Amino acid sequence: MDDNRIVIGSFNSLEEAQIYKSLLESAGVEAHLQHDLAAQTLPVYGDMMDVGLTVNRDDQQRALEVLDASFDQDDFESESQAALCGNCKP
């Protein structure tokens, strides 16, 4: 691994790691996965094949802030409905 990168998360499933990677990238933080190819090809689950999520050391604080941000499902659904509907009135 590049000395400028740091592991900020470890996941038991490739799918979960990909979700968090996408979340970071949507916030402008470059992220990479470790062991993703092995997790894709080897049917190993649990602690035997964790997928690591890495970011540049300079982005560590921002990445942790993004990952620690709370997610309100009700707000998300309301905003999604408003975006789909435009100026609709209930």
Side-chain angles (χ1 to χ4, degrees), residues 37-84:
L37 183 58
Q40 249 180 331
T41 55
L42 299 174
V44 179
Y45 298 98
D47 294 336
M48 294 179 66
M49 182 58 69
D50 285 344
V51 178
L53 179 61
T54 69
V55 297
N56 289 326
R57 287 185 186 276
D58 295 341
D59 294 332
Q60 179 181 6
Q61 185 62 38
R62 174 71 179 131
L64 293 174
E65 289 170 1
V66 170
L67 295 179
D68 288 340
S70 63
F71 176 77
D72 187 322
Q73 183 69 33
D74 292 334
D75 284 348
F76 174 76
E77 289 174 3
S78 295
E79 290 176 14
S80 295
Q81 183 62 31
L84 290 174

Side-chain angles (χ1 to χ4, degrees), residues 14-27:
L14 177 59
E15 292 80 12
E16 185 179 12
Q18 289 172 329
I19 289 169
Y20 284 99
K21 177 181 183 276
S22 295
L23 180 64
L24 289 174
E25 289 176 340
S26 70

